[in-house]
Amino acid sequence: MATATTAPASRPSPVGGSPGTKRRRSLLQRRQTRTAWLLALPFLLLFAAFTVGPVFASLVMSFTDMRSTDVRTPFAVDLAGIDNYTALFQDPLFRKVALNTAIFVAVGVPLTMVLALAAAVGLNRITRLRAFFRLGFYLPVVTSIVAVAVVWRFLLQPDTGPINQLLGVVGIDGPDWLGEPSLALPSVIAMATWRNLGTLMVIFLAGLQTVPRELLEAAEVDGAGRWQRFRHVTLPLLRPVLLFGAVITGIGYLQFFEESFVMTNGGPLNATRSVAYYTYDQFSFGNYGYASAASYVLFVAIVVLTAIQFRVLRPKT
Amino acid sequence: MSRRPIITATALAAATALALTACGRDSDSGSGGDGGDGNAAPSADISDGPATGTIEVWAMGTEGELLGDFLADFEEANPDATVEVTPVPWEGAHDRIATAIAAGETPDVSLIGTTWMGEFAATGGLEATPTDVFAEDDFFPGPWASTVVDGTSYGVPWYVETRALFYRTDLAESAGLEPPASWDDLKAFAQGLQGAGAQQGIYLQPGQAGSWQTFMPFAWQNDATLTDGDAYTLDSPEMTEALEYYMSYFSEGLSQDTVLQPGALEQMFADGAIGSFISGPWHIGLVRGAGATDNFDVVPLPGKDDAPGTSFVGGGNLAVFTDSDNKDGAWKLVQYLTESQVQQSWYETATGLPSRPDAWEGGPLTEDPLVAVFGEQLEQTEAPPAVPTWEQVATVIDGNVEAAVRGTIPAADAVADMQSQASSIGTGLQ
C-alpha cells in the first residue's frame, strides 16, 4: 500500500535520524548524565573522604613506621618498606593468632553452613509453628553480641555455670570451658556458630522456597528418593545462595573479634586471640604502621578466601 | 634514609586526616616552636595574681562528673576565670586525647592516666612542668616519677591509688596468724588461711590484662627493675626469683590459675572462700558491700625481708597542653588542685587519694584506719616507667606471667622472653 510505504518516510527515521534530532538527543543525554553525576556527587565525595581515603591512607601507613607519638609531625615519619610485613610474620604471636583465625574459619564456616542448611530444610518442611522456630533461630542475631557473649560466659563458668551443673547431674565433672587453652577456642566457635546460624538460615530458607515444586515432583515421579531429590535437584539450585552465605560467613569469621573480646579477652594464653584482635591491640599500643600492615594481611586473606569460595561454589552453567 | 619519598608517602597518608580535621596543624606547628624535641622546652613562667580567662579541663570517670561543682571555690577566688569541665569516659579517653593532640585542638588541662604519660609527652603535646612552682619533694616519689619522661616532668600527680594486702581477720585468728611482714610470712599466712577453711589462701592474678600490677610489686621488693632509663632491664636474677616465688603460690595450690569474673573476688572474700588478696582502696567499699564488714583488715604489703614492701602506684596526673591558649590559668588550676587542703576535700568528694604526704597527716584521711594504711603504703611504691611503649611491654609481661603460672614455661625462660620482646619493642624514646 502506498500510504504504508510513504508514511514512515514522511517522519524522521528513528534509526537514521537527522543531524538536528541527533544533537538534541545527545544534548538531553549529556544533561541527564550531568544531573546524575551532580546528584551522585555528595555521596561520591563522602565515599572518597570517609571510605576510599582512609583505606588508602592505611595502606600507605602500612609501609611507614608511624607511631602514635608521631601524630603532631605526620610528615616526618620514616618509610619502612616491607619491614612491617616481615616483622609481622616473624612475630610468634602473630603466627599464633593467624592460626587461631584459620581454625576459626575452617571449623566455623562449614559448621555454620551445614547447621543452617539443616535448620532451613527442617523449617521448610514443617508448616506448624514455622514462624516460632524461625524467630528462635534468628533471635541471637538481633540480640547485641555483647549481651550474648556475657550470657555465654556465665553459662560456661567452671563451678557455678549452668552447663557444668547440668553435666554434674549426670555425673560428669565439667571442665573450665573458657579457662583451658585447649577448650577456649572451641567454646568460642560454638558460641559464634550458634549466634550466626540465624542469618544463614533465613537466607537458605528463602533460597529453598524458590526451588520449583514441579522439578521436585518430576524427580519424584522418576523414582528419586528424598535424599536424591535434595542432592540432585535442591542443592544445585541453591548454589548461588550457598555461595553468598559462604562468602559473608567467611568474611565475618575472618574478622572475628567481639566474641573473644567479651568472653575471654583473647586468653587463656592467647588461645582465642584473632588477627583482628591483634590488629586492635597494635593500634591501641600506638603502632599505627604495624597495625595497618596487619589489617592488610587480613584483607588479602579475605580476598583469597572469597576467590576460593567463588571457584568452588560458582553456579554451574 | 632519604626524607623525600617519606614526605610523598606520608603526604598521601595524612592528606585525608588533615582535610578532615581541617586544621593547619603543620603550618602552626611552628608556634609549638621547638616541637621536634619537646623535651628541652623550658617551663613557662606563671604570672602572679588570680587566673583569668577560660580554662578548659578534661577529666575522666567519677572525676569528670564531680570536678565541675568542686571547682566553685576556685572560681570564686579567681572571679575573672571560667572553668569548663568536660567529663570524658575512660574507655575513649586515650584516643580522644591522642586525636586532640594530633589536631592541635586540645583543652588547656587534662587528667592523664599515669601509664599514658610517656606516649603523650613524646608527641610534644604536653608542657613541661614549671618546677619552680611545683616541688618534687612535696609529692610521694612513685607518683612524681610517673610524670617524668626522659628526665623532664610533664605533669603533676593529682590523685593516686596503690595496693595493699586485704585479709580475713577471723580466719587469721583461728589459724593463730599475725599479719605477714616477709615473703616467708606471706607464704605461711596463705597456707594458714587455707588451713582455716579458705579455698584459696591468697588470690593472685594468674594472667591476662593487668596481672603485671600484682606481679611487679614482688619483683620490686626483690630489687628488680623495669628500665635503666634508656632500655628495658627485665632479664635479671631478681626478676626470675620473684617470678618463681609468685609461681609457687599456684604450684602449691594456694591460688587458682583461673581468672575471676568481675564481682567474684569480693563475693568469695566475703564468703571466706578467698583468705586474702592484694588490691586498692576501692575494694574497702566493695568487700563491705559484699557482706564482709568487721571481719577483714588491710595491711601494707610484706617485703622480701620486712614490711612494708614495695607496692604498685597508679593514678592520675594533671597535664597542661602545648596547644593550650591559657597556660597561665591552666597551671594555676593545677596548683590549686594539688594543694594539700584541696586534696583533702577532693578525697571527701571523690575518694581520690592525695598525691602529697602532707595531705595524709591530718583531716579526713586519718579517720578510717583502713584508708590510712594506704597512706603508709604510699611511702613505699614504684610506678611503671613513663615511656611510650609501656602498655605494650606490660602485655608482654602479662602474657609471660600467665604462661609461667600455668606451668607452660619455666620462670627463667619467661623472664628471658619478656626481655627479648621488650628489647625489640624498645622504649620508644629517641
Side-chain angles (χ1 to χ4, degrees):
Chain A
M1 276 178 254
T3 44
T5 48
T6 52
S10 67
R11 265 179 259 146
S13 154
V15 182
S18 69
T21 51
K22 197 174 190 178
R23 200 184 306 131
R24 213 183 306 142
R25 255 197 137 205
S26 69
L27 196 70
L28 182 70
Q29 254 174 353
R30 233 184 296 156
R31 196 174 294 160
Q32 280 179 336
T33 313
R34 205 186 308 143
T35 314
W37 278 108
L38 212 60
L39 288 172
L41 196 63
F43 165 75
L44 289 174
L45 283 178
L46 288 174
F47 184 69
F50 292 103
T51 307
V52 181
V55 166
F56 182 67
S58 79
L59 177 62
V60 174
M61 221 193 279
S62 76
F63 294 105
T64 71
D65 65 354
M66 182 158 182
R67 287 188 41 80
S68 58
T69 46
D70 298 321
V71 287
R72 282 165 67 92
T73 49
F75 291 95
V77 301
D78 288 321
L79 265 189
I82 58 162
D83 288 0
N84 286 330
Y85 291 91
T86 48
L88 209 49
F89 286 103
Q90 278 162 6
D91 183 352
L93 181 57
F94 182 76
R95 292 204 291 260
K96 168 105 178 138
V97 299
L99 181 66
N100 287 344
T101 309
I103 295 172
F104 196 94
V105 172
V107 177
V109 173
L111 194 64
T112 313
M113 295 273 291
V114 168
L115 290 177
L117 189 58
V121 169
L123 278 188
N124 198 33
R125 198 157 295 157
I126 63 166
T127 44
R128 290 163 62 89
L129 291 175
R130 185 192 280 181
F132 171 78
F133 284 111
R134 205 161 49 190
L135 178 74
F137 280 113
Y138 203 69
L139 214 50
V141 181
V142 290
T143 314
S144 153
I145 184 154
V146 177
V148 163
V150 169
V151 170
W152 271 73
R153 198 174 64 184
F154 162 73
L155 291 175
L156 293 169
Q157 287 278 301
D159 298 320
T160 51
I163 290 179
N164 276 3
Q165 282 181 340
L166 269 180
L167 287 175
V169 172
V170 291
I172 300 170
D173 192 13
D176 185 356
W177 297 100
L178 298 173
E180 284 296 326
S182 57
L183 287 173
L185 189 59
S187 303
V188 172
I189 294 177
M191 180 268 182
T193 303
W194 169 83
R195 180 179 140 82
N196 293 310
L197 204 55
T199 315
L200 280 189
M201 192 262 317
V202 167
I203 295 169
F204 290 166
L205 193 58
L208 282 174
Q209 285 167 354
T210 64
V211 175
R213 191 171 275 274
E214 308 86 72
L215 280 182
L216 290 170
E217 281 166 359
E220 198 172 359
V221 170
D222 288 345
R226 191 169 264 188
W227 167 249
Q228 280 175 315
R229 266 177 287 153
F230 178 73
R231 171 78 186 73
H232 296 289
V233 180
T234 310
L235 219 45
L237 287 169
L238 275 184
R239 276 182 94 99
V241 181
L242 291 175
L243 173 63
F244 176 71
V247 168
I248 61 162
T249 317
I251 292 174
Y253 280 16
L254 266 173
Q255 294 175 326
F256 94 93
F257 172 74
E258 297 97 326
E259 292 87 351
S260 59
F261 186 77
V262 181
M263 284 169 78
T264 58
N265 278 314
L269 293 176
N270 297 315
T272 58
R273 201 169 296 266
S274 63
V275 174
Y277 205 137
Y278 181 89
T279 309
Y280 168 84
D281 283 342
Q282 292 299 330
F283 268 116
S284 59
F285 296 146
N287 299 329
Y288 295 168
Y290 188 69
S292 299
S295 61
Y296 269 89
V297 171
L298 189 60
F299 171 81
V300 170
I302 289 173
V303 170
V304 169
L305 178 73
T306 308
I308 292 172
Q309 287 168 331
F310 264 89
R311 182 135 299 198
V312 173
L313 285 167
R314 187 176 36 210
K316 289 188 181 120
T317 46
Chain B
M1 186 173 278
S2 148
R3 230 51 182 158
R4 190 173 302 274
I6 299 155
I7 288 173
T8 323
T10 47
L12 289 168
T16 328
L18 285 177
L20 293 177
T21 49
C23 66
R25 184 60 246 142
D26 53 340
S27 63
D28 81 324
S29 69
S31 70
D34 26 50
D37 61 334
N39 303 336
S43 55
D45 289 328
I46 297 187
S47 68
D48 296 328
T52 55
T54 306
I55 306 167
E56 277 182 69
V57 186
W58 284 2
M60 294 96 212
T62 329
E63 287 76 29
E65 286 156 30
L66 298 173
L67 188 61
D69 294 338
F70 182 78
L71 288 173
D73 287 349
F74 177 80
E75 289 187 289
E76 210 169 293
N78 299 274
D80 294 332
T82 321
V83 185
E84 286 174 9
V85 179
T86 309
V88 178
W90 272 114
E91 290 73 34
H94 174 274
D95 291 347
R96 188 157 168 193
I97 296 171
T99 314
I101 290 176
E105 297 288 333
T106 60
D108 300 300
V109 186
S110 179
L111 166 62
I112 307 239
T114 49
T115 53
W116 301 344
M117 288 301 293
E119 181 185 346
F120 292 142
T123 63
L126 303 183
E127 281 282 294
T129 311
T131 39
D132 45 338
V133 182
F134 300 93
E136 182 176 349
D137 294 344
D138 287 345
F139 297 89
F140 287 113
W144 183 268
S146 74
T147 69
V148 178
V149 181
D150 220 5
T152 308
S153 165
Y154 289 95
V156 184
W158 180 20
Y159 67 86
V160 297
E161 62 102 339
T162 191
R163 314 285 163 85
L165 182 70
F166 287 68
Y167 73 96
R168 287 280 299 241
T169 45
D170 51 348
L171 294 177
E173 230 163 84
S174 76
L177 290 162
E178 288 295 308
S182 68
W183 279 13
D184 290 343
D185 286 357
L186 183 64
K187 181 64 77 63
F189 192 69
Q191 286 161 344
L193 293 175
Q194 200 148 325
Q199 283 167 27
Q200 300 186 57
I202 184 169
Y203 175 76
L204 299 172
Q205 200 182 333
Q208 296 204 357
S211 52
W212 65 271
Q213 294 174 3
T214 316
F215 164 66
M216 272 315 292
F218 290 101
W220 282 321
Q221 287 158 17
N222 202 28
D223 296 326
T225 53
L226 289 168
T227 69
D228 61 7
D230 296 319
Y232 286 104
T233 54
L234 304 172
D235 194 359
S236 63
E238 292 82 11
M239 187 77 90
T240 309
E241 193 190 6
L243 185 54
E244 277 166 353
Y245 177 71
Y246 194 78
M247 288 158 72
S248 69
Y249 282 89
F250 297 90
S251 60
E252 292 170 25
L254 298 168
S255 187
Q256 287 169 10
D257 66 7
T258 316
V259 177
L260 292 178
Q261 298 297 320
L265 174 63
E266 298 82 56
Q267 199 53 56
M268 289 171 81
F269 184 70
D271 296 344
I274 286 176
S276 60
F277 64 93
I278 294 169
S279 188
W282 61 88
H283 255 117
I284 298 173
L286 289 177
V287 295
R288 279 181 182 149
T293 44
D294 53 358
N295 54 4
F296 77 99
D297 200 358
V298 183
V299 288
L301 292 189
K304 193 183 181 193
D305 299 313
D306 67 318
T310 308
S311 183
F312 161 85
V313 65
N317 297 331
L318 290 168
V320 174
F321 292 94
T322 39
D323 286 311
S324 158
D325 299 325
N326 189 2
K327 291 173 196 169
D328 191 62
W331 283 120
K332 284 189 171 124
L333 179 68
V334 174
Q335 204 177 0
Y336 170 80
L337 283 170
T338 52
E339 274 168 22
S340 185
Q341 292 206 324
V342 178
Q343 293 214 326
Q344 288 181 349
S345 53
W346 180 242
Y347 167 73
E348 289 178 301
T349 309
T351 60
L353 300 181
S355 55
R356 40 195 300 164
D358 54 7
W360 290 78
E361 279 157 18
L365 283 130
T366 50
E367 279 162 21
D368 187 337
L370 295 189
V371 174
V373 171
F374 290 95
E376 198 183 323
Q377 180 69 66
L378 275 167
E379 303 283 355
Q380 189 83 351
T381 57
E382 291 260 5
V387 295
T389 59
W390 168 249
E391 300 264 11
Q392 190 171 355
V393 171
T395 64
V396 168
I397 299 177
D398 286 343
N400 278 297
V401 166
E402 182 180 18
V405 158
R406 285 175 172 271
T408 316
I409 49 171
D413 292 2
V415 168
D417 184 66
M418 285 179 200
Q419 179 64 36
S420 81
Q421 289 202 52
S423 304
S424 70
I425 292 164
T427 58
L429 295 170
Q430 269 79 39

